[in-house]
Amino acid sequence: TYCCCPHYLPLLPTPPPTLLLLSTPPAAVHTSSCCCPHLLLLSTPPPAAVHTSSCCCPHLLLLLSTPPAATMATRNLSVVVYAKNDLRIENRPIPEPGPDEVLLKMAKVGICGSDVAYWTKGAIGHFVVKEPMVLGHESAGVVTKCGKNVTSLVPGDRVAIEPGVPCRLCDFCKKGRYNLCPDVYFCATPPDNGNLCQYYTHAADFCFKLPDHVSLEEGALLEPLSVGVHACERAGVTLGSSVLICGAGPIGLVNLLVAKAMGATKVCITDIAENRLKVAKELGADYTVLVKTSDAETLAQEVKEVMGMPDKTIECSGAETSIRLGVLATKSGGVIVLIGHGPEEVKIPVVIAAAREVDIRGVFRYANNYPSSLAMVASGKINVKSLITHRFKLEEADKAFETARTGAGGAIKVMISCD
């Protein structure tokens, strides 16, 4: 989608917007007198007139100070939640990047459970949709324009987008725990817009360039994968660990992949849906437990029978029964981390946890985990592609969200293409 001619690099910091609309430049310009390498395909010299706004050659910049408005991209379809059960697709202005930002042509965006919750409930805890908000934060795209201070990226770079941009100034940021920054801009968390759209601007230093062999879909899945990396680090998963994972949704499954990659030798995963446990088994789970009761003591006994008592438990559902199970099933001196966000108050046997020195730790998003997540995918240590079960176009967002909501067809991760 960009000019194939390398001469633009010393002439411009970014290619002109006109070039973004051309998937293949007109054949007439690919000729022997053009600087474009496609000239090798033809031998007839073209007339001078080919160096115009439709030519892929950057020499047009010497002739045109401003590309014709008619050829510039004007559409920016965006998926916007207005209120509970009010989801719309609308055209929004294409933003301009700030000095330290890049303009991205969005490519792939996964639907997260939080996106569905903002649509169906209008809120998650104290985060309430009070005005129209663009959804989407599991994403990857292509750089189309760079702010004047950006040196780490160039137009054409394919990037994974870490959706939370912190203030960089508070104590949490300075200590490296920027996921706790009170002034973070986080995509698709009220009131901050997300990036389930066609064009979006983002801080360049929170965009991670993808190697050529890593797909844009894999880049989008670095977001949930980073949750798993952060959770396993908080739990202290390492070589020889035995791990119980409560919940076999997308987050539970990425935790399974990460725990195995970090050296866990025994991993058991629980869920209320048998089809998800089947997927978990295919992804490497050593044991599975189908949850048929809300009695945590009974479930803890089932876990003990199949794997013994785990030294790490990763709770991904937010359900009270599941949290109680984690406390009761975890070995004395072990750790339980809480990822799932359910009711604000739950009843758990905290005295039992205290008496057995079972540490209970919170998990909120991630910090400094995108590089290691990308490294694990790029090296082949983790394969996230199998998590994607359904794919839709941006214009089919209503069907995509309904599929994610109902789990129809065994949906695990629903991916939307924005291009």
Side-chain angles (χ1 to χ4, degrees), residues 3 5 7-8 11-12 15-19 22 25 29 34-35 48-68 71:
C3 179
C5 173
H7 292 107
Y8 80 84
L11 297 176
L12 281 182
T18 48
L19 302 183
L22 302 173
V29 304
C34 178
C35 62
V50 300
H51 282 177
T52 63
S53 61
S54 64
C55 179
C56 67
C57 172
H59 290 134
L60 69 93
L61 300 171
L62 305 179
L63 304 175
L64 300 173
S65 58
T66 303
T71 64

PDB file of all heavy atoms in Angstrom, residues 3 5 7-8 11-12 15-19 22 25 29 34-35 48-68 71:
ATOM      1  N   CYS A   3       4.444   3.317  -1.667  1.00  0.00           N
ATOM      2  CA  CYS A   3       5.280   3.357  -2.863  1.00  0.00           C
ATOM      3  C   CYS A   3       6.447   2.393  -2.699  1.00  0.00           C
ATOM      4  O   CYS A   3       7.069   2.313  -1.649  1.00  0.00           O
ATOM      5  CB  CYS A   3       5.787   4.769  -3.087  1.00  0.00           C
ATOM      6  SG  CYS A   3       6.849   4.876  -4.529  1.00  0.00           S
ATOM      7  N   CYS A   5       9.161   2.641  -4.320  1.00  0.00           N
ATOM      8  CA  CYS A   5      10.408   3.325  -4.634  1.00  0.00           C
ATOM      9  C   CYS A   5      11.133   3.783  -3.374  1.00  0.00           C
ATOM     10  O   CYS A   5      10.546   4.439  -2.525  1.00  0.00           O
ATOM     11  CB  CYS A   5      10.116   4.528  -5.525  1.00  0.00           C
ATOM     12  SG  CYS A   5      11.566   5.543  -5.804  1.00  0.00           S
ATOM     13  N   HIS A   7      13.415   5.981  -3.043  1.00  0.00           N
ATOM     14  CA  HIS A   7      13.925   7.348  -3.057  1.00  0.00           C
ATOM     15  C   HIS A   7      13.175   8.281  -2.133  1.00  0.00           C
ATOM     16  O   HIS A   7      13.640   9.364  -1.829  1.00  0.00           O
ATOM     17  CB  HIS A   7      13.879   7.916  -4.490  1.00  0.00           C
ATOM     18  CG  HIS A   7      14.829   7.248  -5.425  1.00  0.00           C
ATOM     19  ND1 HIS A   7      14.417   6.384  -6.401  1.00  0.00           N
ATOM     20  CD2 HIS A   7      16.178   7.302  -5.514  1.00  0.00           C
ATOM     21  CE1 HIS A   7      15.468   5.938  -7.061  1.00  0.00           C
ATOM     22  NE2 HIS A   7      16.542   6.469  -6.548  1.00  0.00           N
ATOM     23  N   TYR A   8      11.972   7.873  -1.705  1.00  0.00           N
ATOM     24  CA  TYR A   8      11.220   8.799  -0.853  1.00  0.00           C
ATOM     25  C   TYR A   8      11.883   8.993   0.502  1.00  0.00           C
ATOM     26  O   TYR A   8      11.690   9.991   1.176  1.00  0.00           O
ATOM     27  CB  TYR A   8       9.772   8.346  -0.671  1.00  0.00           C
ATOM     28  CG  TYR A   8       9.550   7.281   0.346  1.00  0.00           C
ATOM     29  CD1 TYR A   8       9.417   7.602   1.703  1.00  0.00           C
ATOM     30  CD2 TYR A   8       9.435   5.948  -0.030  1.00  0.00           C
ATOM     31  CE1 TYR A   8       9.192   6.617   2.630  1.00  0.00           C
ATOM     32  CE2 TYR A   8       9.212   4.963   0.904  1.00  0.00           C
ATOM     33  CZ  TYR A   8       9.092   5.305   2.238  1.00  0.00           C
ATOM     34  OH  TYR A   8       8.870   4.338   3.164  1.00  0.00           O
ATOM     35  N   LEU A  11      13.749  12.107   1.033  1.00  0.00           N
ATOM     36  CA  LEU A  11      12.979  13.300   0.668  1.00  0.00           C
ATOM     37  C   LEU A  11      11.928  13.658   1.700  1.00  0.00           C
ATOM     38  O   LEU A  11      11.625  14.820   1.928  1.00  0.00           O
ATOM     39  CB  LEU A  11      12.288  13.075  -0.681  1.00  0.00           C
ATOM     40  CG  LEU A  11      13.212  12.862  -1.892  1.00  0.00           C
ATOM     41  CD1 LEU A  11      12.376  12.552  -3.112  1.00  0.00           C
ATOM     42  CD2 LEU A  11      14.057  14.105  -2.130  1.00  0.00           C
ATOM     43  N   LEU A  12      11.347  12.642   2.318  1.00  0.00           N
ATOM     44  CA  LEU A  12      10.196  12.883   3.188  1.00  0.00           C
ATOM     45  C   LEU A  12      10.273  12.058   4.459  1.00  0.00           C
ATOM     46  O   LEU A  12      10.754  10.935   4.446  1.00  0.00           O
ATOM     47  CB  LEU A  12       8.912  12.442   2.454  1.00  0.00           C
ATOM     48  CG  LEU A  12       8.325  13.369   1.409  1.00  0.00           C
ATOM     49  CD1 LEU A  12       7.065  12.747   0.882  1.00  0.00           C
ATOM     50  CD2 LEU A  12       8.025  14.716   2.013  1.00  0.00           C
ATOM     51  N   PRO A  15       5.309   9.188   3.695  1.00  0.00           N
ATOM     52  CA  PRO A  15       4.781   9.259   2.343  1.00  0.00           C
ATOM     53  C   PRO A  15       3.496  10.068   2.327  1.00  0.00           C
ATOM     54  O   PRO A  15       2.828  10.177   3.341  1.00  0.00           O
ATOM     55  CB  PRO A  15       4.510   7.793   2.002  1.00  0.00           C
ATOM     56  CG  PRO A  15       4.290   7.146   3.312  1.00  0.00           C
ATOM     57  CD  PRO A  15       5.157   7.877   4.295  1.00  0.00           C
ATOM     58  N   PRO A  16       3.127  10.658   1.195  1.00  0.00           N
ATOM     59  CA  PRO A  16       1.919  11.469   1.130  1.00  0.00           C
ATOM     60  C   PRO A  16       0.673  10.619   1.283  1.00  0.00           C
ATOM     61  O   PRO A  16       0.683   9.445   0.939  1.00  0.00           O
ATOM     62  CB  PRO A  16       1.992  12.082  -0.274  1.00  0.00           C
ATOM     63  CG  PRO A  16       2.826  11.112  -1.043  1.00  0.00           C
ATOM     64  CD  PRO A  16       3.822  10.559  -0.076  1.00  0.00           C
ATOM     65  N   PRO A  17      -0.396  11.199   1.816  1.00  0.00           N
ATOM     66  CA  PRO A  17      -1.622  10.428   2.024  1.00  0.00           C
ATOM     67  C   PRO A  17      -2.173   9.803   0.757  1.00  0.00           C
ATOM     68  O   PRO A  17      -2.835   8.781   0.804  1.00  0.00           O
ATOM     69  CB  PRO A  17      -2.598  11.472   2.586  1.00  0.00           C
ATOM     70  CG  PRO A  17      -1.722  12.524   3.188  1.00  0.00           C
ATOM     71  CD  PRO A  17      -0.495  12.564   2.339  1.00  0.00           C
ATOM     72  N   THR A  18      -1.891  10.402  -0.387  1.00  0.00           N
ATOM     73  CA  THR A  18      -2.416   9.850  -1.630  1.00  0.00           C
ATOM     74  C   THR A  18      -1.961   8.426  -1.849  1.00  0.00           C
ATOM     75  O   THR A  18      -2.682   7.613  -2.387  1.00  0.00           O
ATOM     76  CB  THR A  18      -1.960  10.695  -2.833  1.00  0.00           C
ATOM     77  OG1 THR A  18      -0.567  10.917  -2.732  1.00  0.00           O
ATOM     78  CG2 THR A  18      -2.698  12.004  -2.886  1.00  0.00           C
ATOM     79  N   LEU A  19      -0.757   8.117  -1.427  1.00  0.00           N
ATOM     80  CA  LEU A  19      -0.203   6.797  -1.709  1.00  0.00           C
ATOM     81  C   LEU A  19      -0.902   5.704  -0.923  1.00  0.00           C
ATOM     82  O   LEU A  19      -0.820   4.543  -1.268  1.00  0.00           O
ATOM     83  CB  LEU A  19       1.293   6.777  -1.390  1.00  0.00           C
ATOM     84  CG  LEU A  19       2.128   7.815  -2.140  1.00  0.00           C
ATOM     85  CD1 LEU A  19       3.583   7.647  -1.802  1.00  0.00           C
ATOM     86  CD2 LEU A  19       1.904   7.705  -3.627  1.00  0.00           C
ATOM     87  N   LEU A  22      -3.477   3.444  -2.826  1.00  0.00           N
ATOM     88  CA  LEU A  22      -3.068   2.645  -3.973  1.00  0.00           C
ATOM     89  C   LEU A  22      -2.524   1.298  -3.525  1.00  0.00           C
ATOM     90  O   LEU A  22      -1.451   1.210  -2.956  1.00  0.00           O
ATOM     91  CB  LEU A  22      -1.998   3.388  -4.782  1.00  0.00           C
ATOM     92  CG  LEU A  22      -2.408   4.765  -5.310  1.00  0.00           C
ATOM     93  CD1 LEU A  22      -1.209   5.441  -5.944  1.00  0.00           C
ATOM     94  CD2 LEU A  22      -3.532   4.633  -6.312  1.00  0.00           C
ATOM     95  N   PRO A  25      -0.066   0.601  -7.894  1.00  0.00           N
ATOM     96  CA  PRO A  25      -0.038   1.806  -8.720  1.00  0.00           C
ATOM     97  C   PRO A  25      -0.413   1.476 -10.158  1.00  0.00           C
ATOM     98  O   PRO A  25      -0.242   0.353 -10.617  1.00  0.00           O
ATOM     99  CB  PRO A  25       1.408   2.279  -8.620  1.00  0.00           C
ATOM    100  CG  PRO A  25       1.924   1.638  -7.374  1.00  0.00           C
ATOM    101  CD  PRO A  25       1.210   0.329  -7.263  1.00  0.00           C
ATOM    102  N   VAL A  29       2.716   3.686 -15.013  1.00  0.00           N
ATOM    103  CA  VAL A  29       3.864   4.343 -14.419  1.00  0.00           C
ATOM    104  C   VAL A  29       5.027   3.382 -14.201  1.00  0.00           C
ATOM    105  O   VAL A  29       6.119   3.800 -13.897  1.00  0.00           O
ATOM    106  CB  VAL A  29       3.501   5.008 -13.080  1.00  0.00           C
ATOM    107  CG1 VAL A  29       2.368   5.979 -13.259  1.00  0.00           C
ATOM    108  CG2 VAL A  29       3.185   3.966 -12.028  1.00  0.00           C
ATOM    109  N   CYS A  34      10.911   5.403 -15.025  1.00  0.00           N
ATOM    110  CA  CYS A  34      10.471   5.672 -13.654  1.00  0.00           C
ATOM    111  C   CYS A  34      11.515   5.121 -12.693  1.00  0.00           C
ATOM    112  O   CYS A  34      12.174   4.123 -12.986  1.00  0.00           O
ATOM    113  CB  CYS A  34       9.112   5.007 -13.403  1.00  0.00           C
ATOM    114  SG  CYS A  34       8.487   5.228 -11.736  1.00  0.00           S
ATOM    115  N   CYS A  35      11.659   5.740 -11.533  1.00  0.00           N
ATOM    116  CA  CYS A  35      12.644   5.260 -10.564  1.00  0.00           C
ATOM    117  C   CYS A  35      12.153   4.015  -9.843  1.00  0.00           C
ATOM    118  O   CYS A  35      12.891   3.369  -9.121  1.00  0.00           O
ATOM    119  CB  CYS A  35      12.940   6.347  -9.540  1.00  0.00           C
ATOM    120  SG  CYS A  35      11.488   6.805  -8.569  1.00  0.00           S
ATOM    121  N   ALA A  48       6.567  11.994 -19.854  1.00  0.00           N
ATOM    122  CA  ALA A  48       6.827  12.707 -18.604  1.00  0.00           C
ATOM    123  C   ALA A  48       5.561  12.876 -17.775  1.00  0.00           C
ATOM    124  O   ALA A  48       5.611  13.035 -16.569  1.00  0.00           O
ATOM    125  CB  ALA A  48       7.431  14.071 -18.895  1.00  0.00           C
ATOM    126  N   ALA A  49       4.423  12.837 -18.427  1.00  0.00           N
ATOM    127  CA  ALA A  49       3.161  13.084 -17.725  1.00  0.00           C
ATOM    128  C   ALA A  49       2.839  12.052 -16.664  1.00  0.00           C
ATOM    129  O   ALA A  49       1.947  12.254 -15.861  1.00  0.00           O
ATOM    130  CB  ALA A  49       2.017  13.137 -18.742  1.00  0.00           C
ATOM    131  N   VAL A  50       3.562  10.929 -16.641  1.00  0.00           N
ATOM    132  CA  VAL A  50       3.193   9.904 -15.660  1.00  0.00           C
ATOM    133  C   VAL A  50       3.546  10.310 -14.241  1.00  0.00           C
ATOM    134  O   VAL A  50       3.060   9.723 -13.295  1.00  0.00           O
ATOM    135  CB  VAL A  50       3.870   8.540 -15.966  1.00  0.00           C
ATOM    136  CG1 VAL A  50       3.458   8.048 -17.322  1.00  0.00           C
ATOM    137  CG2 VAL A  50       5.372   8.642 -15.821  1.00  0.00           C
ATOM    138  N   HIS A  51       4.418  11.299 -14.077  1.00  0.00           N
ATOM    139  CA  HIS A  51       4.780  11.717 -12.722  1.00  0.00           C
ATOM    140  C   HIS A  51       3.724  12.671 -12.182  1.00  0.00           C
ATOM    141  O   HIS A  51       3.899  13.877 -12.133  1.00  0.00           O
ATOM    142  CB  HIS A  51       6.153  12.360 -12.700  1.00  0.00           C
ATOM    143  CG  HIS A  51       7.238  11.355 -12.751  1.00  0.00           C
ATOM    144  ND1 HIS A  51       8.561  11.688 -12.807  1.00  0.00           N
ATOM    145  CD2 HIS A  51       7.212  10.001 -12.748  1.00  0.00           C
ATOM    146  CE1 HIS A  51       9.300  10.585 -12.841  1.00  0.00           C
ATOM    147  NE2 HIS A  51       8.494   9.558 -12.811  1.00  0.00           N
ATOM    148  N   THR A  52       2.611  12.069 -11.805  1.00  0.00           N
ATOM    149  CA  THR A  52       1.457  12.830 -11.317  1.00  0.00           C
ATOM    150  C   THR A  52       1.016  12.265  -9.986  1.00  0.00           C
ATOM    151  O   THR A  52       1.651  11.384  -9.431  1.00  0.00           O
ATOM    152  CB  THR A  52       0.298  12.749 -12.323  1.00  0.00           C
ATOM    153  OG1 THR A  52      -0.106  11.377 -12.409  1.00  0.00           O
ATOM    154  CG2 THR A  52       0.730  13.238 -13.703  1.00  0.00           C
ATOM    155  N   SER A  53      -0.115  12.734  -9.524  1.00  0.00           N
ATOM    156  CA  SER A  53      -0.565  12.328  -8.196  1.00  0.00           C
ATOM    157  C   SER A  53      -0.909  10.856  -8.100  1.00  0.00           C
ATOM    158  O   SER A  53      -1.042  10.327  -7.014  1.00  0.00           O
ATOM    159  CB  SER A  53      -1.788  13.160  -7.784  1.00  0.00           C
ATOM    160  OG  SER A  53      -2.842  12.953  -8.699  1.00  0.00           O
ATOM    161  N   SER A  54      -1.093  10.178  -9.216  1.00  0.00           N
ATOM    162  CA  SER A  54      -1.407   8.750  -9.141  1.00  0.00           C
ATOM    163  C   SER A  54      -0.173   7.876  -9.323  1.00  0.00           C
ATOM    164  O   SER A  54      -0.257   6.663  -9.286  1.00  0.00           O
ATOM    165  CB  SER A  54      -2.449   8.380 -10.195  1.00  0.00           C
ATOM    166  OG  SER A  54      -1.913   8.584 -11.485  1.00  0.00           O
ATOM    167  N   CYS A  55       0.959   8.500  -9.542  1.00  0.00           N
ATOM    168  CA  CYS A  55       2.188   7.727  -9.743  1.00  0.00           C
ATOM    169  C   CYS A  55       2.733   7.257  -8.403  1.00  0.00           C
ATOM    170  O   CYS A  55       2.671   7.963  -7.410  1.00  0.00           O
ATOM    171  CB  CYS A  55       3.231   8.594 -10.451  1.00  0.00           C
ATOM    172  SG  CYS A  55       4.803   7.729 -10.710  1.00  0.00           S
ATOM    173  N   CYS A  56       3.279   6.027  -8.389  1.00  0.00           N
ATOM    174  CA  CYS A  56       3.844   5.517  -7.143  1.00  0.00           C
ATOM    175  C   CYS A  56       5.181   6.154  -6.836  1.00  0.00           C
ATOM    176  O   CYS A  56       5.718   6.032  -5.744  1.00  0.00           O
ATOM    177  CB  CYS A  56       3.992   4.003  -7.217  1.00  0.00           C
ATOM    178  SG  CYS A  56       5.224   3.489  -8.422  1.00  0.00           S
ATOM    179  N   CYS A  57       5.761   6.830  -7.835  1.00  0.00           N
ATOM    180  CA  CYS A  57       7.088   7.407  -7.684  1.00  0.00           C
ATOM    181  C   CYS A  57       7.057   8.673  -6.839  1.00  0.00           C
ATOM    182  O   CYS A  57       6.231   9.547  -7.067  1.00  0.00           O
ATOM    183  CB  CYS A  57       7.663   7.708  -9.067  1.00  0.00           C
ATOM    184  SG  CYS A  57       9.207   8.627  -8.997  1.00  0.00           S
ATOM    185  N   PRO A  58       7.928   8.837  -5.849  1.00  0.00           N
ATOM    186  CA  PRO A  58       7.925  10.014  -4.989  1.00  0.00           C
ATOM    187  C   PRO A  58       8.314  11.305  -5.691  1.00  0.00           C
ATOM    188  O   PRO A  58       8.222  12.379  -5.113  1.00  0.00           O
ATOM    189  CB  PRO A  58       8.937   9.665  -3.903  1.00  0.00           C
ATOM    190  CG  PRO A  58       9.848   8.682  -4.562  1.00  0.00           C
ATOM    191  CD  PRO A  58       8.971   7.868  -5.467  1.00  0.00           C
ATOM    192  N   HIS A  59       8.778  11.199  -6.951  1.00  0.00           N
ATOM    193  CA  HIS A  59       9.095  12.440  -7.654  1.00  0.00           C
ATOM    194  C   HIS A  59       7.887  13.334  -7.819  1.00  0.00           C
ATOM    195  O   HIS A  59       8.013  14.522  -8.107  1.00  0.00           O
ATOM    196  CB  HIS A  59       9.697  12.139  -9.037  1.00  0.00           C
ATOM    197  CG  HIS A  59      11.069  11.557  -8.960  1.00  0.00           C
ATOM    198  ND1 HIS A  59      11.450  10.468  -9.689  1.00  0.00           N
ATOM    199  CD2 HIS A  59      12.157  11.899  -8.216  1.00  0.00           C
ATOM    200  CE1 HIS A  59      12.711  10.160  -9.415  1.00  0.00           C
ATOM    201  NE2 HIS A  59      13.151  11.002  -8.516  1.00  0.00           N
ATOM    202  N   LEU A  60       6.681  12.753  -7.657  1.00  0.00           N
ATOM    203  CA  LEU A  60       5.490  13.590  -7.745  1.00  0.00           C
ATOM    204  C   LEU A  60       5.538  14.705  -6.710  1.00  0.00           C
ATOM    205  O   LEU A  60       4.935  15.753  -6.882  1.00  0.00           O
ATOM    206  CB  LEU A  60       4.217  12.758  -7.548  1.00  0.00           C
ATOM    207  CG  LEU A  60       3.954  12.174  -6.149  1.00  0.00           C
ATOM    208  CD1 LEU A  60       3.088  13.124  -5.334  1.00  0.00           C
ATOM    209  CD2 LEU A  60       3.255  10.831  -6.279  1.00  0.00           C
ATOM    210  N   LEU A  61       6.294  14.480  -5.637  1.00  0.00           N
ATOM    211  CA  LEU A  61       6.370  15.485  -4.581  1.00  0.00           C
ATOM    212  C   LEU A  61       7.097  16.734  -5.061  1.00  0.00           C
ATOM    213  O   LEU A  61       6.946  17.811  -4.508  1.00  0.00           O
ATOM    214  CB  LEU A  61       7.083  14.914  -3.361  1.00  0.00           C
ATOM    215  CG  LEU A  61       6.381  13.686  -2.782  1.00  0.00           C
ATOM    216  CD1 LEU A  61       7.247  13.056  -1.717  1.00  0.00           C
ATOM    217  CD2 LEU A  61       5.046  14.097  -2.216  1.00  0.00           C
ATOM    218  N   LEU A  62       7.919  16.564  -6.084  1.00  0.00           N
ATOM    219  CA  LEU A  62       8.621  17.719  -6.624  1.00  0.00           C
ATOM    220  C   LEU A  62       7.694  18.556  -7.501  1.00  0.00           C
ATOM    221  O   LEU A  62       7.963  19.708  -7.799  1.00  0.00           O
ATOM    222  CB  LEU A  62       9.818  17.254  -7.451  1.00  0.00           C
ATOM    223  CG  LEU A  62      10.807  16.337  -6.716  1.00  0.00           C
ATOM    224  CD1 LEU A  62      11.922  15.931  -7.661  1.00  0.00           C
ATOM    225  CD2 LEU A  62      11.363  17.036  -5.490  1.00  0.00           C
ATOM    226  N   LEU A  63       6.583  17.928  -7.914  1.00  0.00           N
ATOM    227  CA  LEU A  63       5.657  18.610  -8.807  1.00  0.00           C
ATOM    228  C   LEU A  63       4.427  19.116  -8.078  1.00  0.00           C
ATOM    229  O   LEU A  63       3.803  20.084  -8.491  1.00  0.00           O
ATOM    230  CB  LEU A  63       5.210  17.652  -9.926  1.00  0.00           C
ATOM    231  CG  LEU A  63       6.350  17.024 -10.748  1.00  0.00           C
ATOM    232  CD1 LEU A  63       5.776  16.015 -11.728  1.00  0.00           C
ATOM    233  CD2 LEU A  63       7.119  18.099 -11.489  1.00  0.00           C
ATOM    234  N   LEU A  64       4.059  18.407  -6.998  1.00  0.00           N
ATOM    235  CA  LEU A  64       2.822  18.746  -6.282  1.00  0.00           C
ATOM    236  C   LEU A  64       3.137  19.105  -4.844  1.00  0.00           C
ATOM    237  O   LEU A  64       3.718  18.313  -4.123  1.00  0.00           O
ATOM    238  CB  LEU A  64       1.859  17.550  -6.297  1.00  0.00           C
ATOM    239  CG  LEU A  64       1.416  17.066  -7.683  1.00  0.00           C
ATOM    240  CD1 LEU A  64       0.622  15.784  -7.533  1.00  0.00           C
ATOM    241  CD2 LEU A  64       0.587  18.127  -8.376  1.00  0.00           C
ATOM    242  N   SER A  65       2.764  20.266  -4.405  1.00  0.00           N
ATOM    243  CA  SER A  65       2.982  20.630  -3.009  1.00  0.00           C
ATOM    244  C   SER A  65       1.918  20.026  -2.122  1.00  0.00           C
ATOM    245  O   SER A  65       2.163  19.681  -0.975  1.00  0.00           O
ATOM    246  CB  SER A  65       2.981  22.155  -2.846  1.00  0.00           C
ATOM    247  OG  SER A  65       1.759  22.698  -3.311  1.00  0.00           O
ATOM    248  N   THR A  66       0.699  19.878  -2.640  1.00  0.00           N
ATOM    249  CA  THR A  66      -0.392  19.267  -1.880  1.00  0.00           C
ATOM    250  C   THR A  66      -1.098  18.266  -2.776  1.00  0.00           C
ATOM    251  O   THR A  66      -1.542  18.617  -3.871  1.00  0.00           O
ATOM    252  CB  THR A  66      -1.406  20.332  -1.418  1.00  0.00           C
ATOM    253  OG1 THR A  66      -0.719  21.304  -0.657  1.00  0.00           O
ATOM    254  CG2 THR A  66      -2.502  19.684  -0.566  1.00  0.00           C
ATOM    255  N   PRO A  67      -1.224  16.998  -2.361  1.00  0.00           N
ATOM    256  CA  PRO A  67      -1.921  16.030  -3.188  1.00  0.00           C
ATOM    257  C   PRO A  67      -3.376  16.451  -3.372  1.00  0.00           C
ATOM    258  O   PRO A  67      -3.956  17.077  -2.485  1.00  0.00           O
ATOM    259  CB  PRO A  67      -1.831  14.739  -2.360  1.00  0.00           C
ATOM    260  CG  PRO A  67      -0.693  14.968  -1.427  1.00  0.00           C
ATOM    261  CD  PRO A  67      -0.688  16.428  -1.143  1.00  0.00           C
ATOM    262  N   PRO A  68      -3.973  16.158  -4.512  1.00  0.00           N
ATOM    263  CA  PRO A  68      -5.372  16.519  -4.741  1.00  0.00           C
ATOM    264  C   PRO A  68      -6.270  15.954  -3.656  1.00  0.00           C
ATOM    265  O   PRO A  68      -6.136  14.792  -3.284  1.00  0.00           O
ATOM    266  CB  PRO A  68      -5.669  15.869  -6.113  1.00  0.00           C
ATOM    267  CG  PRO A  68      -4.332  15.707  -6.755  1.00  0.00           C
ATOM    268  CD  PRO A  68      -3.364  15.469  -5.652  1.00  0.00           C
ATOM    269  N   THR A  71      -8.090  12.487  -3.773  1.00  0.00           N
ATOM    270  CA  THR A  71      -7.411  11.207  -3.633  1.00  0.00           C
ATOM    271  C   THR A  71      -7.030  10.902  -2.189  1.00  0.00           C
ATOM    272  O   THR A  71      -6.479   9.857  -1.911  1.00  0.00           O
ATOM    273  CB  THR A  71      -6.138  11.178  -4.489  1.00  0.00           C
ATOM    274  OG1 THR A  71      -5.233  12.164  -4.000  1.00  0.00           O
ATOM    275  CG2 THR A  71      -6.455  11.443  -5.934  1.00  0.00           C
TER     276      THR A  71
END
